[in-house]
Amino acid sequence: MPTLADKKPNRPAQRAQGRPAAELIFGDLWEYDPAPETADPKIKSRYDLFIGGKFVPPASGKYFDTINPANETKLAEMALAGADDVAAAYRAAQKAQDGAWGKMPGKERAKYLYRIARLLQDRAREFAVAETMDNGKPIKETRDFDVPMAAAHFFYHAGWADKLAYIAPGRRVAPLGIVGQVIPWNFPLLMMAWKLAPALAMGNCAVIKPATNTPLSALKLAEIIQDAGLPPGVVNILSGPGSTGGLIMAHPQAAKIAFTGSTEVGKVIMRSVAGTGKRMTMELGGKAANIVFDDAPLDQAVEGIVNGIFFNQGQVCCAGSRLLVHEPVADAVVAKLRHRLKVLRVGDPLDKNTDVGAIVSRDQLETVRGYIDAGVQEGAKLWQPPCRLPAKGFFLPPTLFTGVTQSHRIAREEIFGPVLAIITFRTVEEAIEKANNTEYGLSAGVWTDKGSRILKMSTELKAGVVWANTFNKFDPASPFGGYKESGFGREGGRQGLLDYCKLV
Ligand code: NAP
Ligand code: MG
C-alpha cells in the first residue's frame, strides 16, 4: 500500500528517513515551508477605461493607484472616470443597443458568452493570482471559487440566451436596453460575472463600475471581452470613485440599474433615482444567523461555521456572522471552534496553504477593529487564537465573541470582517425570533438532523437564502437576493433573468 511519503516526492529527506505517515503530517505543520505562487498575473503598469470596445484614457487624464493589501505595494494605475467618460460610455452602449447587438438573435449572443467563459478558463490561474493580489483573499479561494464561479456564470447564462421563450411562457421577452451597474470589492471578478452575464444573455448593453479598491480584474476581463470579439459598446467598464457610480446610476439612458454594495449607499442611490421609472436590483448588506441545534453533527457544523464567517475574511454579504447555538451544545461548539481556529493559517494570500488572507484596505481594517473594540466595551468576551500577523499589510486574527446579547452592536451591525458573535438560545421559537431580529434578511443557516425542523426554519426565517447543514454554497442556477434592508430583486437562475427583461 502506498504510504503518504510516496505521495510526497518533493520531500525526499523525510521519505528517506522512512517515518510513519502520521508523523509526516505533523512534521509538515512544524517544518512549514511557504509555497508562494509563481504564475505571472500579467498586470500592466496602467489601465485605461474600456469604452466602445477600446481602451481609452479618461477625459480628465487622472489615474489612481490600486494596491496589494497584503503588502501595501502599488499594483497598477487605474483610470479615473468622470462625467464625460460616463457620457461616452452611454453613447457607445446606445449605439450597440440600436445596432448589431439589439438585433442579434439569442443563439448568436450565446456564442459570445461561451467565448468569454472559455477565455476566462484559459486564463484562470493568471486571474486568480491577480485577484488575490488586488483584493487580499487567499489564492485557494480565487483559484477554487471566484474564477471558476465567474466562468460558470457566463456558461450558465449562455445556455439561456437562445431559450428565453421558456422563462415566461406565453409572453414575449424583450431586453430593457442599457443597464447601469455598480459592484463592491469583496468578489470583484465574480460580481462582474453576476452583473454582466444575465444582462448580456437578455440582450442588454452595460455600463459598469468596479470598486476603487479592486478594479484590476474588471479591466482584465475587458481584455477578454475584447478578445471574444463582443461588438463594441455592449460592455463598457469604468474604474473610478463612488461619485462616478452615482453618475452611472442616475444617467437618464439607464433603463435599469443594478447595485451591489452597502445598504447605506443603496439608499442614497434609490433616493437619487426615485420617480424616474428605472428598474432596480439592490443587493445590499447582511447579518446572517447560522443556527446550530443540539442534534446537529457538531464537527460538520463547526466546519460550516468556520467557512460561514472566515471565508474571504468575513467580507461576505451573506456571511454567517451571528452564530445562534442551542444551549445544551454551546460549550462544546465553542470549544471545538477554538480548537479549529488555532490551526487556521493567517498570512500571505498567495501562499496556497493560507486560510485567512488580508483585509481589503486600511479603512476596512480600522472599521473592523472599531467593532472589536465596541464588542469588548459593551461587555462581550473576546477570544482570538495566538497567531503572528505579517508586519506589513492589513491583517486580523479570526475573532470570536461569546456572552453576546441582542443589543450589542456586534450582534446588530454588519461588521464585514472575520468576527463571529456567538449567542445562545433554548427553543426553536427563540432561535427564529433572534434570527429574524435584524433589519437585514439576506441569508441564514440551519444545522439539525431533523428534516421537519429544516422545513419549518426555512419557512419562518426572513432570509433570501437558507442553507441547511451547509453554508456559503452558490450556484448560477440558484437565485440570490435579500429581504428587508438587504435589498430586492434576485441574481442567478430564472428569477435573475426576469430582472433583466421586459415581458410584452
Ligand atoms: P459600498 O461602499 O456601498 O460600495 C459599493 C460600490 O458602490 C463601490 O463600487 C463604490 O465605489 C460605489 N459607490 C460608493 N458610493 C456611491 C454612490 N454614492 N453612488 C453610486 N455608487 C457608489 O460597499 P463596499 O464597501 O464596496 O462593499 C461592502 C458592502 O457590499 C457590504 O455592505 C456588503 O454586504 C455588500 N454586498 C452585498 C452583496 C449582496 O449580494 N447582497 C454582495 C457583496 C457585497 P467605491 O469603491 O469607489 O467606494
Ligand atoms: Mg487593491
Side-chain angles (χ1 to χ4, degrees), residues 182-187 191 194 209-213 240-246 249 259-263 265-266 268-269 282-286 316-318 364 414 416 442 480 486 491:
V182 173
I183 58 168
W185 43 257
N186 57 345
F187 294 95
M191 289 297 114
W194 275 36
K209 184 193 98 67
T212 308
N213 286 325
S243 54
T244 305
M249 304 269 95
F259 174 74
T260 298
S262 60
T263 296
V265 173
V268 171
I269 292 171
M282 291 278 152
E283 299 280 9
L284 309 176
V316 181
C317 49
C318 51
Q364 186 62 16
E414 184 183 45
F416 227 57
L442 192 54
F480 185 90
S486 290
E491 291 189 313

mmCIF file of all heavy atoms in Angstrom, residues 182-187 191 194 209-213 240-246 249 259-263 265-266 268-269 282-286 316-318 364 414 416 442 480 486 491, ligand 1:
data_model
loop_
_atom_site.group_PDB
_atom_site.id
_atom_site.type_symbol
_atom_site.label_atom_id
_atom_site.label_comp_id
_atom_site.label_asym_id
_atom_site.label_seq_id
_atom_site.Cartn_x
_atom_site.Cartn_y
_atom_site.Cartn_z
ATOM 1 N N VAL A 182 -23.097 48.848 -10.641
ATOM 2 C CA VAL A 182 -22.003 49.214 -9.727
ATOM 3 C C VAL A 182 -21.795 48.049 -8.765
ATOM 4 O O VAL A 182 -22.758 47.502 -8.224
ATOM 5 C CB VAL A 182 -22.341 50.513 -8.954
ATOM 6 C CG1 VAL A 182 -21.299 50.799 -7.876
ATOM 7 C CG2 VAL A 182 -22.434 51.703 -9.910
ATOM 8 N N ILE A 183 -20.523 47.669 -8.563
ATOM 9 C CA ILE A 183 -20.237 46.475 -7.749
ATOM 10 C C ILE A 183 -19.223 46.773 -6.629
ATOM 11 O O ILE A 183 -18.479 47.743 -6.713
ATOM 12 C CB ILE A 183 -19.726 45.308 -8.630
ATOM 13 C CG1 ILE A 183 -18.466 45.721 -9.406
ATOM 14 C CG2 ILE A 183 -20.822 44.822 -9.561
ATOM 15 C CD1 ILE A 183 -17.747 44.555 -10.049
ATOM 16 N N PRO A 184 -19.180 45.919 -5.605
ATOM 17 C CA PRO A 184 -18.276 46.129 -4.467
ATOM 18 C C PRO A 184 -16.937 45.399 -4.641
ATOM 19 O O PRO A 184 -16.686 44.789 -5.679
ATOM 20 C CB PRO A 184 -19.066 45.507 -3.323
ATOM 21 C CG PRO A 184 -19.767 44.361 -3.959
ATOM 22 C CD PRO A 184 -20.053 44.750 -5.381
ATOM 23 N N TRP A 185 -16.127 45.448 -3.580
ATOM 24 C CA TRP A 185 -14.756 44.929 -3.681
ATOM 25 C C TRP A 185 -14.587 43.511 -3.150
ATOM 26 O O TRP A 185 -13.498 42.966 -3.194
ATOM 27 C CB TRP A 185 -13.779 45.845 -2.925
ATOM 28 C CG TRP A 185 -14.276 46.309 -1.577
ATOM 29 C CD1 TRP A 185 -14.774 47.546 -1.283
ATOM 30 C CD2 TRP A 185 -14.328 45.558 -0.348
ATOM 31 N NE1 TRP A 185 -15.151 47.615 0.043
ATOM 32 C CE2 TRP A 185 -14.882 46.421 0.637
ATOM 33 C CE3 TRP A 185 -13.969 44.262 0.027
ATOM 34 C CZ2 TRP A 185 -15.082 46.011 1.964
ATOM 35 C CZ3 TRP A 185 -14.178 43.858 1.331
ATOM 36 C CH2 TRP A 185 -14.724 44.716 2.282
ATOM 37 N N ASN A 186 -15.644 42.912 -2.611
ATOM 38 C CA ASN A 186 -15.388 41.637 -1.922
ATOM 39 C C ASN A 186 -15.270 40.429 -2.863
ATOM 40 O O ASN A 186 -14.533 39.488 -2.566
ATOM 41 C CB ASN A 186 -16.414 41.384 -0.811
ATOM 42 C CG ASN A 186 -17.823 41.384 -1.301
ATOM 43 O OD1 ASN A 186 -18.113 41.843 -2.407
ATOM 44 N ND2 ASN A 186 -18.714 40.854 -0.486
ATOM 45 N N PHE A 187 -15.995 40.455 -3.996
ATOM 46 C CA PHE A 187 -15.826 39.407 -5.020
ATOM 47 C C PHE A 187 -15.732 40.132 -6.372
ATOM 48 O O PHE A 187 -16.678 40.067 -7.170
ATOM 49 C CB PHE A 187 -17.010 38.431 -5.011
ATOM 50 C CG PHE A 187 -17.101 37.621 -3.752
ATOM 51 C CD1 PHE A 187 -17.918 38.016 -2.702
ATOM 52 C CD2 PHE A 187 -16.337 36.458 -3.605
ATOM 53 C CE1 PHE A 187 -17.980 37.281 -1.528
ATOM 54 C CE2 PHE A 187 -16.405 35.717 -2.433
ATOM 55 C CZ PHE A 187 -17.225 36.131 -1.395
ATOM 56 N N MET A 191 -18.518 39.351 -9.123
ATOM 57 C CA MET A 191 -19.627 40.318 -9.221
ATOM 58 C C MET A 191 -19.748 40.862 -10.644
ATOM 59 O O MET A 191 -20.852 41.165 -11.110
ATOM 60 C CB MET A 191 -19.433 41.471 -8.229
ATOM 61 C CG MET A 191 -19.642 41.098 -6.778
ATOM 62 S SD MET A 191 -21.324 40.556 -6.416
ATOM 63 C CE MET A 191 -21.036 38.859 -5.984
ATOM 64 N N TRP A 194 -21.696 38.144 -12.281
ATOM 65 C CA TRP A 194 -23.093 38.149 -11.831
ATOM 66 C C TRP A 194 -23.890 39.237 -12.536
ATOM 67 O O TRP A 194 -25.077 39.077 -12.812
ATOM 68 C CB TRP A 194 -23.168 38.417 -10.313
ATOM 69 C CG TRP A 194 -23.000 37.219 -9.443
ATOM 70 C CD1 TRP A 194 -22.176 36.154 -9.662
ATOM 71 C CD2 TRP A 194 -23.657 36.971 -8.187
ATOM 72 N NE1 TRP A 194 -22.271 35.267 -8.622
ATOM 73 C CE2 TRP A 194 -23.172 35.745 -7.702
ATOM 74 C CE3 TRP A 194 -24.580 37.678 -7.432
ATOM 75 C CZ2 TRP A 194 -23.600 35.192 -6.495
ATOM 76 C CZ3 TRP A 194 -25.011 37.136 -6.223
ATOM 77 C CH2 TRP A 194 -24.526 35.902 -5.767
ATOM 78 N N LYS A 209 -19.219 49.804 -13.154
ATOM 79 C CA LYS A 209 -18.080 50.337 -12.395
ATOM 80 C C LYS A 209 -17.664 49.359 -11.296
ATOM 81 O O LYS A 209 -18.475 49.002 -10.443
ATOM 82 C CB LYS A 209 -18.457 51.667 -11.730
ATOM 83 C CG LYS A 209 -17.279 52.305 -11.008
ATOM 84 C CD LYS A 209 -17.690 53.442 -10.082
ATOM 85 C CE LYS A 209 -17.823 53.029 -8.641
ATOM 86 N NZ LYS A 209 -16.575 52.645 -7.967
ATOM 87 N N PRO A 210 -16.383 48.959 -11.285
ATOM 88 C CA PRO A 210 -15.888 48.159 -10.155
ATOM 89 C C PRO A 210 -15.549 49.076 -8.976
ATOM 90 O O PRO A 210 -15.545 50.295 -9.113
ATOM 91 C CB PRO A 210 -14.616 47.518 -10.720
ATOM 92 C CG PRO A 210 -14.125 48.490 -11.762
ATOM 93 C CD PRO A 210 -15.353 49.180 -12.316
ATOM 94 N N ALA A 211 -15.253 48.481 -7.820
ATOM 95 C CA ALA A 211 -14.917 49.272 -6.628
ATOM 96 C C ALA A 211 -13.507 49.863 -6.755
ATOM 97 O O ALA A 211 -12.639 49.290 -7.420
ATOM 98 C CB ALA A 211 -15.000 48.380 -5.397
ATOM 99 N N THR A 212 -13.285 50.979 -6.086
ATOM 100 C CA THR A 212 -11.975 51.647 -6.132
ATOM 101 C C THR A 212 -10.864 50.732 -5.612
ATOM 102 O O THR A 212 -9.746 50.757 -6.118
ATOM 103 C CB THR A 212 -12.006 52.924 -5.258
ATOM 104 O OG1 THR A 212 -13.123 53.695 -5.658
ATOM 105 C CG2 THR A 212 -10.750 53.737 -5.415
ATOM 106 N N ASN A 213 -11.169 49.935 -4.587
ATOM 107 C CA ASN A 213 -10.134 49.069 -4.004
ATOM 108 C C ASN A 213 -9.714 47.934 -4.931
ATOM 109 O O ASN A 213 -8.610 47.413 -4.798
ATOM 110 C CB ASN A 213 -10.651 48.426 -2.713
ATOM 111 C CG ASN A 213 -10.705 49.412 -1.576
ATOM 112 O OD1 ASN A 213 -9.857 50.288 -1.468
ATOM 113 N ND2 ASN A 213 -11.712 49.276 -0.731
ATOM 114 N N GLY A 240 -13.290 54.012 -11.186
ATOM 115 C CA GLY A 240 -13.440 55.366 -10.644
ATOM 116 C C GLY A 240 -14.095 55.328 -9.284
ATOM 117 O O GLY A 240 -14.451 54.263 -8.781
ATOM 118 N N PRO A 241 -14.276 56.491 -8.678
ATOM 119 C CA PRO A 241 -14.787 56.567 -7.308
ATOM 120 C C PRO A 241 -16.305 56.409 -7.221
ATOM 121 O O PRO A 241 -16.998 56.283 -8.237
ATOM 122 C CB PRO A 241 -14.379 57.983 -6.884
ATOM 123 C CG PRO A 241 -14.374 58.762 -8.159
ATOM 124 C CD PRO A 241 -13.959 57.801 -9.246
ATOM 125 N N GLY A 242 -16.806 56.483 -5.994
ATOM 126 C CA GLY A 242 -18.245 56.357 -5.761
ATOM 127 C C GLY A 242 -19.053 57.382 -6.546
ATOM 128 O O GLY A 242 -20.139 57.076 -7.046
ATOM 129 N N SER A 243 -18.507 58.599 -6.684
ATOM 130 C CA SER A 243 -19.259 59.642 -7.401
ATOM 131 C C SER A 243 -19.499 59.231 -8.858
ATOM 132 O O SER A 243 -20.549 59.535 -9.435
ATOM 133 C CB SER A 243 -18.519 60.978 -7.326
ATOM 134 O OG SER A 243 -17.192 60.812 -7.785
ATOM 135 N N THR A 244 -18.538 58.512 -9.438
ATOM 136 C CA THR A 244 -18.730 58.011 -10.810
ATOM 137 C C THR A 244 -19.858 56.980 -10.824
ATOM 138 O O THR A 244 -20.674 56.943 -11.752
ATOM 139 C CB THR A 244 -17.416 57.383 -11.327
ATOM 140 O OG1 THR A 244 -16.394 58.362 -11.207
ATOM 141 C CG2 THR A 244 -17.534 56.933 -12.764
ATOM 142 N N GLY A 245 -19.905 56.170 -9.764
ATOM 143 C CA GLY A 245 -21.012 55.214 -9.631
ATOM 144 C C GLY A 245 -22.348 55.939 -9.595
ATOM 145 O O GLY A 245 -23.323 55.522 -10.225
ATOM 146 N N GLY A 246 -22.377 57.063 -8.859
ATOM 147 C CA GLY A 246 -23.605 57.855 -8.773
ATOM 148 C C GLY A 246 -24.037 58.345 -10.149
ATOM 149 O O GLY A 246 -25.227 58.305 -10.490
ATOM 150 N N MET A 249 -25.511 55.441 -12.187
ATOM 151 C CA MET A 249 -26.854 55.054 -11.732
ATOM 152 C C MET A 249 -27.905 56.078 -12.143
ATOM 153 O O MET A 249 -29.021 55.725 -12.516
ATOM 154 C CB MET A 249 -26.876 54.922 -10.196
ATOM 155 C CG MET A 249 -25.859 53.963 -9.633
ATOM 156 S SD MET A 249 -26.435 52.268 -9.458
ATOM 157 C CE MET A 249 -25.900 51.518 -10.931
ATOM 158 N N PHE A 259 -27.253 47.353 -8.417
ATOM 159 C CA PHE A 259 -26.224 47.769 -7.462
ATOM 160 C C PHE A 259 -25.967 46.644 -6.472
ATOM 161 O O PHE A 259 -26.904 46.052 -5.943
ATOM 162 C CB PHE A 259 -26.691 49.022 -6.709
ATOM 163 C CG PHE A 259 -25.754 49.440 -5.601
ATOM 164 C CD1 PHE A 259 -24.541 50.051 -5.875
ATOM 165 C CD2 PHE A 259 -26.098 49.227 -4.268
ATOM 166 C CE1 PHE A 259 -23.672 50.437 -4.849
ATOM 167 C CE2 PHE A 259 -25.234 49.610 -3.239
ATOM 168 C CZ PHE A 259 -24.026 50.212 -3.530
ATOM 169 N N THR A 260 -24.703 46.364 -6.212
ATOM 170 C CA THR A 260 -24.340 45.508 -5.092
ATOM 171 C C THR A 260 -23.386 46.295 -4.222
ATOM 172 O O THR A 260 -22.365 46.800 -4.705
ATOM 173 C CB THR A 260 -23.675 44.203 -5.561
ATOM 174 O OG1 THR A 260 -24.613 43.480 -6.357
ATOM 175 C CG2 THR A 260 -23.280 43.335 -4.377
ATOM 176 N N GLY A 261 -23.712 46.426 -2.954
ATOM 177 C CA GLY A 261 -22.870 47.179 -2.034
ATOM 178 C C GLY A 261 -23.581 47.376 -0.717
ATOM 179 O O GLY A 261 -24.470 46.595 -0.355
ATOM 180 N N SER A 262 -23.191 48.412 -0.006
ATOM 181 C CA SER A 262 -23.747 48.607 1.337
ATOM 182 C C SER A 262 -25.182 49.132 1.279
ATOM 183 O O SER A 262 -25.583 49.790 0.316
ATOM 184 C CB SER A 262 -22.872 49.605 2.099
ATOM 185 O OG SER A 262 -22.847 50.828 1.418
ATOM 186 N N THR A 263 -25.917 48.858 2.335
ATOM 187 C CA THR A 263 -27.298 49.344 2.443
ATOM 188 C C THR A 263 -27.314 50.866 2.424
ATOM 189 O O THR A 263 -28.179 51.493 1.791
ATOM 190 C CB THR A 263 -27.926 48.793 3.742
ATOM 191 O OG1 THR A 263 -27.974 47.364 3.624
ATOM 192 C CG2 THR A 263 -29.327 49.327 3.970
ATOM 193 N N VAL A 265 -25.233 53.051 0.918
ATOM 194 C CA VAL A 265 -25.091 53.599 -0.441
ATOM 195 C C VAL A 265 -26.315 53.218 -1.277
ATOM 196 O O VAL A 265 -26.797 54.028 -2.077
ATOM 197 C CB VAL A 265 -23.772 53.137 -1.095
ATOM 198 C CG1 VAL A 265 -23.717 53.562 -2.554
ATOM 199 C CG2 VAL A 265 -22.572 53.698 -0.334
ATOM 200 N N GLY A 266 -26.832 52.019 -1.072
ATOM 201 C CA GLY A 266 -28.031 51.594 -1.799
ATOM 202 C C GLY A 266 -29.178 52.584 -1.595
ATOM 203 O O GLY A 266 -29.895 52.941 -2.532
ATOM 204 N N VAL A 268 -28.902 55.783 -0.797
ATOM 205 C CA VAL A 268 -28.561 57.042 -1.493
ATOM 206 C C VAL A 268 -28.950 56.916 -2.967
ATOM 207 O O VAL A 268 -29.563 57.816 -3.551
ATOM 208 C CB VAL A 268 -27.034 57.339 -1.360
ATOM 209 C CG1 VAL A 268 -26.627 58.508 -2.260
ATOM 210 C CG2 VAL A 268 -26.666 57.620 0.090
ATOM 211 N N ILE A 269 -28.606 55.775 -3.562
ATOM 212 C CA ILE A 269 -28.892 55.572 -4.985
ATOM 213 C C ILE A 269 -30.406 55.550 -5.226
ATOM 214 O O ILE A 269 -30.909 56.185 -6.152
ATOM 215 C CB ILE A 269 -28.232 54.265 -5.487
ATOM 216 C CG1 ILE A 269 -26.710 54.426 -5.468
ATOM 217 C CG2 ILE A 269 -28.730 53.892 -6.877
ATOM 218 C CD1 ILE A 269 -25.944 53.150 -5.728
ATOM 219 N N MET A 282 -31.258 45.664 -6.057
ATOM 220 C CA MET A 282 -30.382 46.092 -4.972
ATOM 221 C C MET A 282 -29.938 44.862 -4.177
ATOM 222 O O MET A 282 -30.771 44.170 -3.588
ATOM 223 C CB MET A 282 -31.128 47.056 -4.029
ATOM 224 C CG MET A 282 -31.439 48.399 -4.639
ATOM 225 S SD MET A 282 -30.006 49.488 -4.534
ATOM 226 C CE MET A 282 -30.300 50.533 -5.957
ATOM 227 N N GLU A 283 -28.632 44.603 -4.199
ATOM 228 C CA GLU A 283 -28.061 43.514 -3.385
ATOM 229 C C GLU A 283 -27.240 44.184 -2.300
ATOM 230 O O GLU A 283 -26.143 44.683 -2.564
ATOM 231 C CB GLU A 283 -27.150 42.626 -4.249
ATOM 232 C CG GLU A 283 -27.850 41.949 -5.412
ATOM 233 C CD GLU A 283 -28.622 40.710 -5.003
ATOM 234 O OE1 GLU A 283 -28.760 40.449 -3.799
ATOM 235 O OE2 GLU A 283 -29.095 40.005 -5.911
ATOM 236 N N LEU A 284 -27.771 44.222 -1.081
ATOM 237 C CA LEU A 284 -27.155 45.069 -0.050
ATOM 238 C C LEU A 284 -26.567 44.235 1.092
ATOM 239 O O LEU A 284 -26.165 43.108 0.886
ATOM 240 C CB LEU A 284 -28.196 46.086 0.428
ATOM 241 C CG LEU A 284 -28.879 46.871 -0.718
ATOM 242 C CD1 LEU A 284 -29.974 47.784 -0.200
ATOM 243 C CD2 LEU A 284 -27.863 47.658 -1.540
ATOM 244 N N GLY A 285 -26.500 44.818 2.264
ATOM 245 C CA GLY A 285 -25.777 44.177 3.367
ATOM 246 C C GLY A 285 -26.514 43.006 4.003
ATOM 247 O O GLY A 285 -27.637 42.672 3.621
ATOM 248 N N GLY A 286 -25.867 42.406 4.997
ATOM 249 C CA GLY A 286 -26.477 41.266 5.679
ATOM 250 C C GLY A 286 -25.920 41.068 7.078
ATOM 251 O O GLY A 286 -24.891 41.659 7.454
ATOM 252 N N VAL A 316 -18.151 39.129 3.393
ATOM 253 C CA VAL A 316 -19.143 38.456 2.557
ATOM 254 C C VAL A 316 -20.517 38.936 3.017
ATOM 255 O O VAL A 316 -20.823 38.894 4.212
ATOM 256 C CB VAL A 316 -19.028 36.918 2.712
ATOM 257 C CG1 VAL A 316 -20.029 36.207 1.824
ATOM 258 C CG2 VAL A 316 -17.618 36.435 2.419
ATOM 259 N N CYS A 317 -21.339 39.395 2.059
ATOM 260 C CA CYS A 317 -22.640 39.952 2.436
ATOM 261 C C CYS A 317 -23.492 38.920 3.174
ATOM 262 O O CYS A 317 -24.242 39.258 4.077
ATOM 263 C CB CYS A 317 -23.359 40.448 1.194
ATOM 264 S SG CYS A 317 -23.359 39.235 -0.132
ATOM 265 N N CYS A 318 -23.356 37.650 2.764
ATOM 266 C CA CYS A 318 -24.183 36.611 3.381
ATOM 267 C C CYS A 318 -23.423 35.844 4.469
ATOM 268 O O CYS A 318 -23.839 34.762 4.869
ATOM 269 C CB CYS A 318 -24.698 35.654 2.304
ATOM 270 S SG CYS A 318 -23.386 35.021 1.244
ATOM 271 N N GLN A 364 -10.991 49.532 5.930
ATOM 272 C CA GLN A 364 -11.824 48.404 6.355
ATOM 273 C C GLN A 364 -11.232 47.760 7.609
ATOM 274 O O GLN A 364 -11.968 47.371 8.522
ATOM 275 C CB GLN A 364 -11.951 47.384 5.213
ATOM 276 C CG GLN A 364 -12.909 46.251 5.480
ATOM 277 C CD GLN A 364 -14.353 46.703 5.679
ATOM 278 O OE1 GLN A 364 -14.715 47.830 5.347
ATOM 279 N NE2 GLN A 364 -15.170 45.840 6.248
ATOM 280 N N GLU A 414 -23.579 45.123 10.483
ATOM 281 C CA GLU A 414 -22.733 44.320 9.587
ATOM 282 C C GLU A 414 -21.275 44.741 9.798
ATOM 283 O O GLU A 414 -20.903 45.881 9.532
ATOM 284 C CB GLU A 414 -23.140 44.570 8.133
ATOM 285 C CG GLU A 414 -22.375 43.692 7.176
ATOM 286 C CD GLU A 414 -22.719 43.968 5.719
ATOM 287 O OE1 GLU A 414 -22.793 45.148 5.325
ATOM 288 O OE2 GLU A 414 -22.908 42.993 4.974
ATOM 289 N N PHE A 416 -18.510 42.990 8.479
ATOM 290 C CA PHE A 416 -17.795 42.719 7.229
ATOM 291 C C PHE A 416 -16.316 42.440 7.505
ATOM 292 O O PHE A 416 -15.414 43.024 6.909
ATOM 293 C CB PHE A 416 -17.958 43.898 6.262
ATOM 294 C CG PHE A 416 -18.323 43.461 4.872
ATOM 295 C CD1 PHE A 416 -19.450 42.700 4.640
ATOM 296 C CD2 PHE A 416 -17.531 43.813 3.782
ATOM 297 C CE1 PHE A 416 -19.792 42.291 3.362
ATOM 298 C CE2 PHE A 416 -17.868 43.402 2.505
ATOM 299 C CZ PHE A 416 -18.998 42.657 2.302
ATOM 300 N N LEU A 442 -30.697 38.606 4.302
ATOM 301 C CA LEU A 442 -30.072 38.064 3.093
ATOM 302 C C LEU A 442 -29.947 36.541 3.147
ATOM 303 O O LEU A 442 -30.300 35.848 2.206
ATOM 304 C CB LEU A 442 -28.695 38.720 2.897
ATOM 305 C CG LEU A 442 -28.024 38.504 1.550
ATOM 306 C CD1 LEU A 442 -28.936 38.922 0.408
ATOM 307 C CD2 LEU A 442 -26.710 39.280 1.475
ATOM 308 N N PHE A 480 -30.290 34.464 -5.893
ATOM 309 C CA PHE A 480 -29.689 35.010 -4.677
ATOM 310 C C PHE A 480 -30.200 36.432 -4.493
ATOM 311 O O PHE A 480 -30.257 37.208 -5.443
ATOM 312 C CB PHE A 480 -28.161 35.024 -4.847
ATOM 313 C CG PHE A 480 -27.405 35.463 -3.624
ATOM 314 C CD1 PHE A 480 -26.988 34.538 -2.677
ATOM 315 C CD2 PHE A 480 -27.116 36.803 -3.419
ATOM 316 C CE1 PHE A 480 -26.302 34.947 -1.540
ATOM 317 C CE2 PHE A 480 -26.417 37.219 -2.275
ATOM 318 C CZ PHE A 480 -26.019 36.290 -1.344
ATOM 319 N N SER A 486 -31.707 44.199 3.160
ATOM 320 C CA SER A 486 -30.702 43.505 2.339
ATOM 321 C C SER A 486 -30.988 43.675 0.853
ATOM 322 O O SER A 486 -30.208 43.197 0.025
ATOM 323 C CB SER A 486 -30.651 42.015 2.686
ATOM 324 O OG SER A 486 -30.104 41.838 3.975
ATOM 325 N N GLU A 491 -30.507 37.671 -8.252
ATOM 326 C CA GLU A 491 -29.470 37.433 -9.256
ATOM 327 C C GLU A 491 -29.221 35.937 -9.308
ATOM 328 O O GLU A 491 -29.126 35.274 -8.276
ATOM 329 C CB GLU A 491 -28.192 38.199 -8.892
ATOM 330 C CG GLU A 491 -28.402 39.701 -9.042
ATOM 331 C CD GLU A 491 -27.129 40.522 -8.918
ATOM 332 O OE1 GLU A 491 -26.363 40.283 -7.980
ATOM 333 O OE2 GLU A 491 -26.919 41.401 -9.769
HETATM 334 P P1 NAP B 1 -20.109 50.324 -0.842
HETATM 335 O O1 NAP B 1 -19.264 51.264 -0.101
HETATM 336 O O2 NAP B 1 -21.574 50.503 -0.808
HETATM 337 O O3 NAP B 1 -19.583 50.379 -2.345
HETATM 338 C C1 NAP B 1 -20.125 49.559 -3.347
HETATM 339 C C2 NAP B 1 -19.880 50.211 -4.683
HETATM 340 O O4 NAP B 1 -20.632 51.437 -4.751
HETATM 341 C C3 NAP B 1 -18.430 50.615 -4.941
HETATM 342 O O5 NAP B 1 -18.142 50.454 -6.305
HETATM 343 C C4 NAP B 1 -18.445 52.085 -4.555
HETATM 344 O O6 NAP B 1 -17.399 52.820 -5.142
HETATM 345 C C5 NAP B 1 -19.778 52.517 -5.100
HETATM 346 N N1 NAP B 1 -20.328 53.727 -4.529
HETATM 347 C C6 NAP B 1 -19.976 54.382 -3.394
HETATM 348 N N2 NAP B 1 -20.749 55.479 -3.224
HETATM 349 C C7 NAP B 1 -21.605 55.501 -4.274
HETATM 350 C C8 NAP B 1 -22.659 56.376 -4.662
HETATM 351 N N3 NAP B 1 -22.989 57.427 -3.932
HETATM 352 N N4 NAP B 1 -23.337 56.093 -5.792
HETATM 353 C C9 NAP B 1 -23.042 55.018 -6.538
HETATM 354 N N5 NAP B 1 -22.041 54.171 -6.227
HETATM 355 C C10 NAP B 1 -21.343 54.399 -5.101
HETATM 356 O O7 NAP B 1 -19.857 48.826 -0.412
HETATM 357 P P2 NAP B 1 -18.456 48.091 -0.275
HETATM 358 O O8 NAP B 1 -17.833 48.582 0.976
HETATM 359 O O9 NAP B 1 -17.689 48.182 -1.546
HETATM 360 O O10 NAP B 1 -18.927 46.582 -0.152
HETATM 361 C C11 NAP B 1 -19.375 46.054 1.018
HETATM 362 C C12 NAP B 1 -20.876 46.036 1.085
HETATM 363 O O11 NAP B 1 -21.436 45.366 -0.036
HETATM 364 C C13 NAP B 1 -21.382 45.305 2.288
HETATM 365 O O12 NAP B 1 -22.411 46.015 2.905
HETATM 366 C C14 NAP B 1 -21.924 44.001 1.691
HETATM 367 O O13 NAP B 1 -22.896 43.395 2.463
HETATM 368 C C15 NAP B 1 -22.417 44.445 0.389
HETATM 369 N N6 NAP B 1 -22.512 43.314 -0.541
HETATM 370 C C16 NAP B 1 -23.739 42.796 -0.830
HETATM 371 C C17 NAP B 1 -23.863 41.701 -1.673
HETATM 372 C C18 NAP B 1 -25.205 41.107 -1.981
HETATM 373 O O14 NAP B 1 -25.296 40.332 -2.923
HETATM 374 N N7 NAP B 1 -26.254 41.428 -1.242
HETATM 375 C C19 NAP B 1 -22.722 41.131 -2.237
HETATM 376 C C20 NAP B 1 -21.488 41.669 -1.921
HETATM 377 C C21 NAP B 1 -21.394 42.772 -1.073
HETATM 378 P P3 NAP B 1 -16.008 52.969 -4.342
HETATM 379 O O15 NAP B 1 -15.404 51.633 -4.314
HETATM 380 O O16 NAP B 1 -15.259 53.918 -5.148
HETATM 381 O O17 NAP B 1 -16.372 53.478 -2.981
#
